[in-house]
Amino acid sequence: MKVYLIRHSEPTYQQVTTAGLTGFGRELGGLTDRGIMLAQQCAQQPLFAQVQLILSSPYTGKLQV
């Protein structure tokens, strides 16, 4: 079995800062446009063709793409 660890993409906290969210509320921030593009490019890597299981953080930006 092979395990790959991939760090989340580029987040933005603009909306959560504007809303005054702090602590865990900051994790509700999504990704920047560039972050979305980087995540989509990463997903196109050939190693993902045979992936059987993906585990992800439950935070918004990590589940966005």
Side-chain angles (χ1 to χ4, degrees):
M1 170 175 51
K2 291 184 181 182
V3 176
Y4 296 94
L5 301 176
I6 300 173
R7 190 175 187 281
H8 61 80
S9 198
E10 185 177 89
T12 178
Y13 298 104
Q14 182 177 6
Q15 288 179 320
V16 295
T17 300
T18 301
L21 299 176
T22 60
F24 287 115
R26 292 191 51 80
E27 295 301 333
L28 296 173
L31 298 175
T32 63
D33 289 342
R34 181 175 181 271
I36 292 169
M37 179 195 66
L38 291 171
Q40 289 173 337
Q41 286 177 348
C42 183
Q44 298 302 315
Q45 296 295 319
L47 68 97
F48 289 111
Q50 297 181 22
V51 167
Q52 295 179 352
L53 176 67
I54 295 176
L55 301 175
S56 175
S57 164
Y59 295 126
T60 304
K62 288 56 166 185
L63 297 173
Q64 185 173 349
V65 179

